[in-house]
Structure formats: structure tokens, C-alpha cells
Amino acid sequence: MSTLTKYLVYGPKDTLRRFPEKLFEHREPKYLYHYDDTSGNEKVYVAVFEQYEKQINATITLTCVVECKNSQNRIEMKKSGGRMGFRGSSLMEDKNIESDLVDFVMDYSKRYGLSLQEIVEKKETKSSENES
């Protein structure tokens, strides 16, 4: 089970720069890597969050990459782990870590008047090459 969620957040530079700090205060990651560009125009944060699902006896891992630039933040969340099958893993009643972080991104954007755009990957459709 693996999902990828991408967002672009546009707004004032100072508000965008505060976003990663507030995110990691809201939910503390298990691992955190921080990179500052030498010119000071770009910062990259890579955080790994883990959540144990007792119901399915599996750990769900969420890797979150936040790229902070002067005009936008790019947020990518990659969820992996868990189980699929007959153990009822598709019925999640508790709030999982991915939905918690997505809710934080949307709430932060709304609260500070930022523009939020979700990037949806287009699936390629097979078209026959011999169409006339």
C-alpha cells in the first residue's frame, strides 16, 4: 500500500518559512533532516513519521518532504506500509497520520490566507497506435 500526495502552497515569504516549524510542532517526526541552501533562497525538510496500527498489527510510515522557496512551498507526502487483505485493514476508524497532516496543511493555508493547490498525477491511457 503506497500513496503519494503533492501540494503547492503560495503566499508571503515569511508565512511560508514558518510552515515547517509549525508542522513539526503539531506532529513531531521520528526522523528529521534539514538542508539550507547556501544562498538562503531554499530550505528542504525531510521528515519521517511512523504510526503503529494496533488493529492490523502493522506500522504505517509517512515520509514528508517540504521544499521552501521564496514564492512557494512544495509538500510531498509518501505513505507506505500497512497491510491489505482479510484483516479489515480497509476499515480505518481512527484518524491516521496522513489525514492529520493533510488537515494541518489545509488549516494552516486557510488560517493565514495562503493559496493551496493539489497536484494530481494524470494517468496515461493506452491508445491504439493504429487508429485512423
Side-chain angles (χ1 to χ4, degrees):
M1 176 172 66
S2 177
T3 60
L4 181 64
T5 309
K6 297 180 185 180
Y7 292 103
L8 287 176
V9 183
Y10 299 97
K13 177 182 172 182
D14 295 335
T15 308
L16 292 175
R17 294 291 176 154
R18 277 195 311 263
F19 173 78
E21 297 168 12
K22 296 295 182 184
L23 175 66
F24 303 139
E25 281 178 18
H26 171 72
R27 186 80 182 232
E28 189 172 340
K30 185 161 185 167
Y31 303 103
L32 178 63
Y33 173 75
H34 176 236
Y35 168 76
D36 281 327
D37 188 21
T38 54
S39 65
N41 293 332
E42 185 174 357
K43 292 184 179 185
V44 179
Y45 298 86
V46 180
V48 178
F49 299 91
E50 285 187 352
Q51 181 179 25
Y52 177 71
E53 294 288 337
K54 187 175 182 180
Q55 201 174 28
I56 60 173
N57 192 24
T59 301
I60 294 176
T61 304
L62 181 76
T63 304
C64 181
V65 179
V66 181
E67 296 176 21
C68 298
K69 297 183 181 176
N70 290 337
S71 61
Q72 71 181 13
N73 281 358
R74 181 180 177 90
I75 304 161
E76 293 186 12
M77 291 183 242
K78 173 88 170 161
K79 180 179 169 185
S80 60
R83 291 188 182 170
M84 296 294 288
F86 299 109
R87 300 187 118 203
S89 61
S90 61
L91 299 173
M92 298 296 251
E93 296 174 4
D94 296 334
K95 192 170 187 177
N96 64 15
I97 193 165
E98 183 181 27
S99 64
D100 187 33
L101 291 180
V102 168
D103 287 347
F104 179 83
V105 170
M106 290 184 181
D107 183 50
Y108 186 89
S109 299
K110 184 185 280 187
R111 181 173 291 155
Y112 293 104
L114 305 174
S115 298
L116 179 68
Q117 178 183 359
E118 183 175 2
I119 301 172
V120 180
E121 298 291 325
K122 294 180 182 177
K123 294 182 180 179
E124 294 183 22
T125 57
K126 289 187 177 182
S127 59
S128 60
E129 296 175 3
N130 296 333
E131 287 184 18
S132 322

